[in-house]
Amino acid sequence: MTIAAEARPADAVASAPAPFFAARDVHAYYGESYIVQGVDFEVREKEIVALLGRNGAGKTSTLRTIARAAQPSLKSGEIWLGGMPLHRMSTHEAARAGVQLVPEDRRIIPGLTVEQNLIVAQVAERPGWPLAQIYEHFPRLAERRRQDAITMSGGEQQMLAVARALARDLKLLLLDEPYEGLAPTIVREIESILQEVKRIGITTIIVEQNAIAALQLADRAVILDMGTVAYQGPAQEVLDNADLRHQYLAI
Amino acid sequence: MTINSIFLMVLTGLQLGAIYALIALGLTLIFGTLGVVNFAHGALYLIAAYCAVFAAQSLGFGLAIVLVPIILFIFGIAMERGLIRFFYQRPHTDQILVTFGIAIVVEEVLKWMFGANNIPFALPSWGAGQVLFYGLGANVPAAIPGIRVPMPFLEGFAFFPAWRLLLIIVTAVTIFALFALLQFTRFGLVLRAGMRDPEMLRFLGVNVTIRFSILFGIGAMIAGIAGVFGGPVTQVSPTVGMALLVPSFLVVVIGGMGSMLGALVAALLLGMASSFTTGFAAAVGDPTAKMALTALQQIVVYLVAVVVLLIRPRGLFGKKGIFE
């Protein structure tokens, strides 16, 4: 019985190349409320996927489920990353397996300096970029390394949140509303950082209210509606198809 | 009121404050990180004191000082893993009920095993004497044994029990070690970060749970240190845990829930308030004033709490939104 269950992913490899990341019929609940209702999609290695949908479509919940947060709680379904079963892991185990969530509101830890926020990311097994490399890419953070991180501007905090994810040996980057609450000039700055993340080839799922900005960055789009996948296809197609955008994104 | 008696009152205040501080630090450490109000913390002190009595009798005091904190560290982790962790997501009232329950069970078990009375806890020979403090030009008879410490402002000389002085020193060292652990080590950095945002730390791959469990163990270990060194001073009886928990909890509230610096300042404040009222009660000649001060002595700790909380409802260093 166990042998059969464990042989299954190997069989999948034999028949077709296993996707780098796959969410298979994922169902998750916030307490009693049924939020993620059978989400099913794949992401190829080095691909950037924009996860879109209206407010309440279940975007953030899907990201949190993939990162194996305690809430929403995963009730059924499978989540695979590079052959590893994320669905069987706790939050910190999923992070060690290479999932890095840059959450909504950035969640910079107050009372800690910029550098301490980065050090905390490197405590657990498999740290990523060393501090020197991070500072080389983010000179602004280097300037402010001794500053209480929470006193920085929103854009700088977002920069730190992305840098903190790069401080870990990550396989999958989950970005939740990276442009939220930022002035247009700052948005462009973060955009160029994310372009660089794309150039480095980090597999990414991005959730963003500013769908156009996300689609311009992404290779593919996955649109959620009522907790399930309503559409998936090339990002360019969503940019070109006004009906589709209007129907699911109200833009 | 002489300078000598004020000096002794300060030392007594420090010594009273030291025991409060050790217990309150453990309480506030556990509250600040795990969000649990641990009413069993007095019971941990109790277990430590009883363990210390028997360890000192059978293995010697030196070994008891080493062993008891280790035993309490292990006991603390077992308690957290076995019971407390199931209450993290539950309301504070549930946590208070379960930890209060543990306290009652421990108290009753000790009563059943060793009786309801004090059990004697003899000081080791090396800690039994008095320390002599002497002022400028004091004529100290050469026959007086023990340690002598110059204290230029004293008139003549004054004695203070060596063990109580040791208790103050041990407390200072413990507090310093705890602050150093939290401020200057990577373990401390992770703990401080974990107190602020445990979920984010988990997203960064940190096993916060195991660190918090160790921290609970450290809180229990501090109660262990308090039990070994404080036991001979507070006496060892089943009721002493609860008797210490109440003022220690007041210390936490006066200091501000979750603030370690607040707990320290409040512990000193209560220690001094107690010591000075007792000192003044002994010193005044007028019988009515003496009676009033003696009565005040019983309630001064609560009086300080009332005044502080009227002026600062969140305590001295309390922050908004904690336990509200």
Side-chain angles (χ1 to χ4, degrees):
Chain A
M1 197 60 197
T2 10
I3 293 164
E6 296 204 339
R8 211 154 47 113
D11 287 348
V13 171
S15 53
F20 185 68
F21 169 83
R24 302 258 181 251
D25 195 24
V26 171
H27 298 259
Y29 288 74
Y30 263 109
E32 294 290 298
S33 29
Y34 184 24
I35 307 290
V36 181
Q37 311 184 354
V39 165
D40 202 302
F41 69 100
E42 294 175 0
V43 182
R44 287 185 286 269
E45 196 166 6
K46 301 191 175 185
E47 189 178 43
I48 296 194
V49 166
L51 188 64
L52 306 172
R54 290 200 191 92
N55 275 336
K59 303 181 299 284
T60 293
S61 299
T62 301
L63 282 196
R64 288 178 57 85
T65 307
I66 294 168
R68 302 298 290 113
Q71 293 291 330
S73 63
L74 179 65
K75 281 286 148 66
S76 69
E78 296 185 350
I79 307 168
W80 293 91
L81 176 66
M84 287 176 293
L86 295 184
H87 52 278
R88 292 201 196 115
M89 296 181 187
S90 61
T91 316
H92 74 271
E93 287 166 347
R96 288 177 189 199
V99 178
Q100 267 310 293
L101 173 66
V102 176
E104 236 176 333
D105 307 331
R106 320 180 235 284
R107 303 275 285 274
I108 297 305
I109 295 170
L112 267 56
T113 64
V114 169
E115 185 149 303
Q116 286 173 330
N117 265 279
L118 293 169
I119 290 173
V120 160
Q122 301 195 313
V123 169
E125 257 321 283
R126 308 233 292 152
W129 289 11
L131 287 185
Q133 192 181 351
I134 290 173
Y135 288 147
E136 199 180 305
H137 278 78
F138 301 92
R140 194 93 63 86
L141 296 182
E143 280 165 33
R144 313 210 157 203
R145 62 209 284 176
R146 310 245 172 268
Q147 188 177 331
D148 187 353
I150 208 74
T151 62
M152 295 197 300
S153 73
E156 288 164 338
Q157 288 188 36
Q158 187 62 54
M159 228 177 262
L160 177 57
V162 174
R164 186 171 60 179
L166 295 172
R168 299 208 43 78
D169 181 16
L170 78 173
K171 291 194 172 69
L172 176 67
L173 179 64
L174 306 173
L175 293 169
D176 197 355
E177 306 275 3
Y179 305 137
E180 192 187 30
L182 301 181
T185 51
I186 312 292
V187 166
R188 275 194 287 284
E189 211 170 323
I190 301 296
E191 251 172 348
S192 69
I193 289 172
L194 297 184
Q195 285 293 351
E196 199 175 334
V197 165
K198 182 178 182 170
R199 206 170 42 73
I200 297 165
I202 295 169
T203 313
T204 304
I205 303 175
I206 176 171
V207 162
E208 181 51 58
Q209 275 301 315
N210 184 348
I212 302 296
L215 287 165
Q216 279 162 354
L217 186 75
D219 304 302
R220 263 184 339 114
V222 171
I223 298 179
L224 294 182
D225 191 39
M226 313 279 285
T228 56
V229 175
Y231 168 89
Q232 47 181 321
Q236 194 58 45
E237 204 168 295
V238 185
L239 281 172
D240 295 342
N241 187 337
D243 287 347
L244 192 65
R245 292 208 309 269
H246 189 74
Q247 188 181 350
Y248 293 116
L249 308 174
I251 50 171
Chain B
M1 184 109 322
T2 63
I3 184 78
N4 287 21
S5 51
I6 291 173
F7 173 69
L8 291 178
M9 277 192 268
V10 169
L11 282 183
T12 305
L14 276 176
Q15 178 261 305
L16 286 172
I19 295 187
Y20 295 153
L22 285 179
I23 297 178
L25 270 184
L27 268 178
T28 203
L29 197 64
I30 289 169
F31 177 77
T33 46
L34 303 165
V36 172
V37 182
N38 183 19
F39 271 81
H41 213 74
L44 292 175
Y45 177 91
L46 205 53
I47 292 169
Y50 275 85
C51 281
V53 170
F54 293 102
Q57 275 171 8
S58 51
L59 306 165
F61 217 106
L63 222 52
I65 288 171
V66 178
L67 272 181
V68 173
I70 295 173
I71 293 171
L72 266 285
F73 178 73
I74 295 165
F75 188 87
I77 287 180
M79 182 168 142
E80 193 272 341
R81 288 287 87 191
L83 196 59
I84 306 290
R85 72 177 164 124
F86 301 109
F87 288 82
Y88 291 149
Q89 305 304 328
R90 313 240 319 233
H92 284 308
T93 43
D94 288 17
Q95 299 168 352
I96 290 170
L97 284 175
V98 73
T99 52
F100 207 79
I102 297 171
I104 294 170
V105 168
V106 168
E107 188 173 325
E108 292 304 315
V109 166
L110 289 173
K111 222 177 262 179
W112 167 66
M113 286 172 72
F114 306 108
N117 298 325
N118 266 333
I119 59 171
F121 191 176
L123 288 174
S125 54
W126 49 263
Q130 303 271 331
V131 172
L132 185 148
F133 295 94
Y134 61 94
L136 282 176
N139 188 14
V140 185
I144 298 175
I147 302 165
R148 298 171 179 211
V149 181
M151 205 53 71
F153 54 82
L154 289 184
E155 292 159 6
F157 51 90
F159 292 101
F160 193 75
W163 189 260
R164 290 175 188 242
L165 206 61
L166 181 66
L167 178 61
I168 297 171
I169 294 165
V170 166
T171 302
V173 170
T174 306
I175 290 166
F176 180 77
L178 182 66
F179 271 87
L181 176 77
L182 287 177
Q183 289 300 324
F184 305 125
T185 68
R186 186 166 275 217
F187 178 77
L189 176 66
V190 174
L191 277 180
R192 280 186 291 136
M195 288 182 213
R196 298 300 191 103
D197 193 342
E199 188 186 50
M200 190 61 231
L201 274 254
R202 291 192 175 99
F203 285 144
L204 295 171
V206 178
N207 186 347
V208 179
T209 314
I210 195 163
R211 286 175 167 80
F212 280 180
S213 186
I214 292 170
L215 192 72
F216 198 100
I218 293 174
M221 189 170 86
I222 297 173
I225 294 170
V228 183
F229 289 96
V233 176
T234 61
Q235 298 186 326
V236 182
S237 79
T239 50
V240 79
M242 217 42 102
L244 275 176
L245 180 77
V246 176
S248 300
F249 191 71
L250 271 186
V251 162
V252 173
V253 173
I254 295 172
M257 296 294 291
S259 163
M260 297 223 286
L261 179 66
L264 272 186
V265 173
L268 273 182
L269 192 67
L270 289 199
M272 291 299 166
S274 252
S275 160
F276 273 77
T277 346
T278 312
F280 282 128
V284 292
D286 177 51
T288 324
K290 199 180 204 66
M291 214 160 73
L293 279 169
T294 312
L296 182 65
Q297 197 186 319
Q298 306 291 322
I299 58 157
V300 66
V301 171
Y302 304 95
L303 203 63
V304 172
V306 168
V307 172
V308 170
L309 294 180
L310 275 177
I311 300 166
R312 291 184 64 87
R314 293 196 177 91
L316 296 171
F317 295 85
K319 292 204 179 77
K320 201 178 167 178
I322 294 174
F323 207 71
E324 284 173 2

